[in-house]
Every structure is written in structure tokens, then in C-alpha cells.
């Protein structure tokens, strides 16, 4: 099997080269993102391997099909960037890595909370600059605070357990609740109750038409004054302009995001020497109570190992015609 590997970074190459040995697969790495201008690079490949910001719209899938691509292997969990109907029309199955390390993402959400709350990023910079003052570093105890978990799938459940460990009261919201979580003392509530009662709200639902901008002017208004909002799921769950409005009028006390609606073309790149043409991101990063990381929640050794092994296993299973639960069902 020949694999056209898009949007590769040095760490992808390191992990895939390590695990591809002995499979007989040949990987052709492309630094560029997959889109309609780069799709023909896949000519001669049986499989394309794509990541979160690669474009798998109908137009791109049609080109991939013409070049002879037979399978799409996503090396991520989310698949909001894939037109599944277009892939099904062309008879191209789409596989993903549904679970590589829920702990990696959940732990990063906790890292954002602790950093924003205890201002570790500011303390680090101050001390490097010889400033040992505590002024404006006041935080709050997590113990006894209410944490709202929006989406109680694999990541949301680990996150709830971690925050419960800090002594927080846990409120849950999900379209398909897992009643067993209530045995731990957590409580499922409707969305508006979760928003009204939580001191910290963390988003763990996938990006779907119905969840796009689930955080908007209306839902932000329901939140407690000075609440903390964390998003490690997908950028477009939050209407960024509305969140900025809520930060400006001091409704939202803290915002921690690992994902951003317009992250494509910015996140995963070193743009140190460039002027970043995104005033919204510039504004967000200038606020003292906003913390942005560049889609790194998944980025642990354990997760990279699992992503690589599962992606290669998906390709092996496809080649051998074996059924595999990582195949995304056609809508
Ligand atoms: P999952 O499928 O296990 O859980 C998603 C949960 O959301 C499910 O319980 C589902 O019932 C619920 N849900 C779906 N639609 C809903 C709706 N309309 N309203 C309420 N609940 C709804 O997914 P997961 O593995 O926990 O991952 C969650 C998301 O995290 C992924 O979709 C992905 O976008 C994101 N993610 C981000 C990173 C990162 O590095 N930042 C890494 C992996 C995953």
C-alpha cells in the first residue's frame, strides 16, 4: 500500500517511520495541507493519511477518487472536516482513530484551568524577570466549585473524574447520557441549568451542525458572572466574537482554548517571523484572562504512539478486508 501523508510534522514522521517497518507500506510525506490544489499529489497512492485541518470536502474527494485513492485514514478522532456522503458516493471508506488517549486531552483541559486560575504563566514570566511580587496573582480554590461538563463521552468522563478529584461538584450535560456516571455522585442536568450553576464549564462535545456555536451570546448570558470557559474540543463550538463581547463586559471571567474557530493555517505552524493576519486571535491573546494553546491537548507520547499504531492497523485491516470499528459509518 502506498500512503500519501498530508500535513506532516517532524514528530509524525518520527512515529510513523518507527512503526511502519515490517508492514510493507510505503509512506510519501507531504508538508502541505490537503486541499484542492494539493490533492493530485496523491496520484499513485492507495491511501491518504490526513489530520484535523486537512480539507476533505466533496471537491477534494472527487479529485482523490480520480487519482485512484481507495481509502482515507484520518490520524485523529474528529471528522468534521470530511464530507462523508461524498466519500461514500466514490466508494472511499473513511477510518479514524476514535480513542487514542482521552486522558491526554482531559489532562490538558485541567492544565488550562490550573494555569488560568493560579496564573502560573504570569508567575513564570515574572520570576524570570526578577519580579517576585504576588500582586494580581490571586486564584481561587477548586475544592467546592461546580464544574459543568458539556459532553460526557470518552474525554468528558475522564475530565469529570479529574475535577471530582479536586473536590468539585460535577454537573453533566449530554444528548445521550451515561446513567452510570450518576452513581459517582455526578448529576445530569439540562444545558441551561449547567450553564447557570457552573463556575467552570468545559466543552467535550463533537463539532456537528447542532453543536456549532453552542456557546453564543444567548448561552453566555446564562453563565454565572466571572465563570471560566474551557474548550479543548473544536473551535467552532464557541462563537468567538460573542465570547470576546462577554470577556469585554466582564461576564466571562476566564477563557482557556486549545482550539480556535479560525485555527486553520495558524495552529501547528511557526509564524514567529510573520505578521499574523487575524485580528480576532490578536485580540484574544492580548486579554490577561485568556489562555490559548495551539491544538496540543492530544500531544503526549502515549497518544502519538496509539495514533500511529491504530492508523496503521486501520490501513492493514482495510487491505485485508477485515471489519474494523474505526470505519466511520456513512450518514
Ligand atoms: P465521544 O464521541 O466519546 O464523546 C462525545 C460526546 O458528546 C458523546 O457522549 C455524545 O453523546 C455527546 N454529544 C454529541 N452530540 C451532542 C449534542 N448535540 N449535545 C450534547 N452532547 C452531544 O468523543 P471524545 O473522544 O470524548 O472527544 C470529544 C471531542 O474532543 C472530539 O469530537 C474532538 O473534536 C475533540 N478532540 C480534541 C483533541 C485536541 O487535541 N484538542 C483531541 C481529541 C479529540
Amino acid at each position: 500500500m502506498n500512503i500519501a501523508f498530508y500535513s506532516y510534522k517532524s514528530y509524525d514522521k518520527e512515529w510513523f517511520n518507527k512503526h511502519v517497518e515490517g508492514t510493507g507500506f510505503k509512506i510519501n510525506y507531504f508538508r502541505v495541507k490537503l486541499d484542492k490544489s494539493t490533492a493530485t499529489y496523491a496520484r499513485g497512492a492507495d491511501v491518504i493519511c490526513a489530520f484535523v485541518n486537512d480539507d476533505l470536502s466533496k471537491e477534494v474527494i472527487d479529485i482523490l477518487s480520480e487519482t485512484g485513492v481507495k481509502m482515507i485514514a484520518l490520524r485523529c478522532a474528529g471528522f468534521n472536516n470530511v464530507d462523508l456522503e461524498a466519500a461514500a458516493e466514490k466508494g472511499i471508506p473513511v477510518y479514524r482513530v476514535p480513542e487514542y488517549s482521552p486522558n491526554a486531552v482531559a489532562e490538558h483541559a485541567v492544565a488550562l484551568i490550573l494555569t488560568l486560575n493560579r496564573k502560573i504563566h504570569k508567575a513564570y514570566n515574572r520570576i524570570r524577570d526578577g519580579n517576585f511580587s504576588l500582586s494580581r496573582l490571586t486564584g481561587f480554590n477548586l475544592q467546592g466549585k461546580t464544574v459543568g461538563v458539556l459532553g460526557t463521552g470518552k474525554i468528558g468522563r475522564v475530565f469529570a473524574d479529574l475535577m471530582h478529584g479536586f473536590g468539585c461538584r460535577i454537573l453533566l450535560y449530554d444528548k445521550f447520557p451515561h446513567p452510570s456516571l450518576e452513581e459517582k455522585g455526578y448529576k445530569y442536568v439540562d444545558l441551561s441549568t449547567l450553564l447557570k450553576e457552573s463556575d467552570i464549564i468545559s466543552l467535550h462535545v463533537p463539532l456537528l451542525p447542532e453543536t456549532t456555536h453552542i456557546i453564543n451570546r444567548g448561552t453566555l448570558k446564562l453563565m454565572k458572572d466571572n465563570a471560566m470557559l474551557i474548550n479543548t474540543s473544536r473551535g467552532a463550538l464557541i462563537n468567538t466574537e460573542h465570547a470576546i463581547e462577554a470577556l469585554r463586559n466582564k461576564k466571562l471571567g476566564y477563557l482557556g482554548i486549545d482550539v480556535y474557530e479560525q485555527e486553520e493555517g495558524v495552529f501547528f505552524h511557526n509564524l514567529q517571523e510573520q505578521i499574523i493576519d487575524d485580528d480576532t486571535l490578536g485580540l484574544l491573546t492580548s486579554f490577561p484572562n485568556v489562555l490559548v494553546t495551539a491544538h496540543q491537548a492530544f500531544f503526549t507520547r502515549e497518544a502519538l504512539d496509539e495514533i500511529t499504531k491504530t492508523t496503521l492497523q486501520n490501513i492493514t485491516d482495510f487491505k485485508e478486508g477485515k471489519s474494523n470499528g474505526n470505519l466511520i459509518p456513512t450518514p
Side-chain angles (χ1 to χ4, degrees):
M1 298 289 256
N2 284 331
I3 304 166
F5 195 109
Y6 283 91
S7 304
Y8 93 84
K9 300 284 178 210
S10 54
Y11 47 84
D12 291 314
K13 207 168 177 178
E14 183 191 328
W15 286 88
F16 274 84
N17 281 351
K18 190 164 113 188
H19 287 293
V20 80
E21 261 179 46
T23 60
F25 300 158
K26 186 175 172 298
I27 305 182
N28 208 357
Y29 293 98
F30 300 109
R31 266 197 198 285
V32 290
K33 165 183 181 297
L34 171 63
D35 61 25
K36 63 178 187 222
S37 68
T38 60
T40 51
Y41 295 6
R43 199 168 294 286
D46 308 288
V47 177
I48 66 119
C49 184
F51 197 49
V52 291
N53 289 327
D54 285 313
D55 173 2
L56 282 150
S57 58
K58 177 171 169 36
E59 200 178 358
V60 173
I61 288 171
D62 287 350
I63 302 170
L64 292 175
S65 169
E66 276 167 32
T67 65
V69 166
K70 297 176 195 65
M71 176 207 183
I72 294 170
L74 299 175
R75 53 181 192 281
C76 54
F79 50 89
N80 50 286
N81 54 334
V82 188
D83 187 330
L84 292 174
E85 275 175 21
E89 236 171 62
K90 295 289 176 190
I92 302 178
V94 185
Y95 287 70
R96 67 178 181 134
V97 184
E99 180 174 343
Y100 40 88
S101 180
N103 294 70
V105 182
E107 287 171 16
H108 191 78
V110 175
L112 291 175
I113 293 170
L114 290 172
T115 308
L116 270 172
N117 173 20
R118 305 307 297 267
K119 304 175 175 65
I120 303 298
H121 52 319
K122 293 180 192 210
Y124 174 81
N125 284 327
R126 274 191 195 185
I127 281 165
R128 281 168 70 95
D129 204 26
N131 176 357
F132 296 88
S133 149
L134 298 186
S135 156
R136 299 191 315 281
L137 294 183
T138 323
F140 58 84
N141 283 9
L142 287 174
Q143 203 242 341
K145 296 294 180 298
T146 299
V147 174
V149 186
L150 225 155
T152 56
K154 293 175 284 298
I155 297 170
R157 291 200 293 268
V158 175
F159 174 77
D161 288 345
L162 294 175
M163 296 313 291
H164 190 236
F166 282 102
C168 296
R169 171 183 173 235
I170 308 293
L171 296 182
L172 312 171
Y173 170 73
D174 199 295
K175 199 171 172 186
F176 305 101
H178 296 265
S180 63
L181 292 180
E182 298 212 305
E183 288 163 20
K184 298 183 179 193
Y186 312 162
K187 194 173 163 205
Y188 274 103
V189 290
D190 58 40
L191 181 58
S192 70
T193 306
L194 181 141
L195 295 170
K196 281 179 196 158
E197 292 191 13
S198 300
D199 300 289
I200 299 170
I201 294 160
S202 192
L203 308 181
H204 301 287
V205 288
L207 181 65
L208 302 167
E210 75 216 63
T211 57
T212 300
H213 290 180
I214 194 165
I215 301 298
N216 55 50
R217 192 172 286 129
T219 46
L220 281 157
K221 246 189 208 146
L222 293 176
M223 289 183 196
K224 269 189 175 179
D225 288 347
N226 211 31
M228 183 187 286
L229 176 64
I230 301 293
N231 188 8
T232 55
S233 190
R234 283 292 180 268
L237 294 178
I238 299 181
N239 180 320
T240 314
E241 297 301 331
H242 293 182
I244 288 174
E245 208 175 274
L247 286 159
R248 277 191 194 282
N249 63 30
K250 304 203 169 45
K251 174 74 186 171
L252 194 58
Y254 312 78
L255 177 67
I257 53 173
D258 183 54
V259 285
Y260 166 61
E261 207 172 350
Q262 314 298 341
E263 70 180 51
E264 201 188 310
V266 178
F267 283 15
F268 306 117
H269 302 283
N270 181 349
L271 304 179
Q272 261 177 334
E273 301 302 321
Q274 294 180 36
I275 291 170
I276 298 166
D277 192 17
D278 182 339
D279 293 348
T280 307
L281 183 60
L283 187 60
L284 271 180
T285 52
S286 75
F287 287 153
N289 50 352
V290 174
L291 183 59
V292 180
T293 54
H295 212 134
Q296 72 175 78
F298 75 100
F299 203 50
T300 64
R301 282 192 296 275
E302 292 80 357
L304 286 171
D305 193 53
E306 196 55 43
I307 288 170
T308 310
K309 285 184 189 157
T310 307
T311 305
L312 292 172
Q313 189 60 49
N314 287 345
I315 299 171
T316 304
D317 288 348
F318 166 73
K319 181 179 161 220
E320 294 174 358
K322 284 189 197 153
S323 66
N324 171 329
N326 300 337
L327 173 66
I328 306 173
T330 308

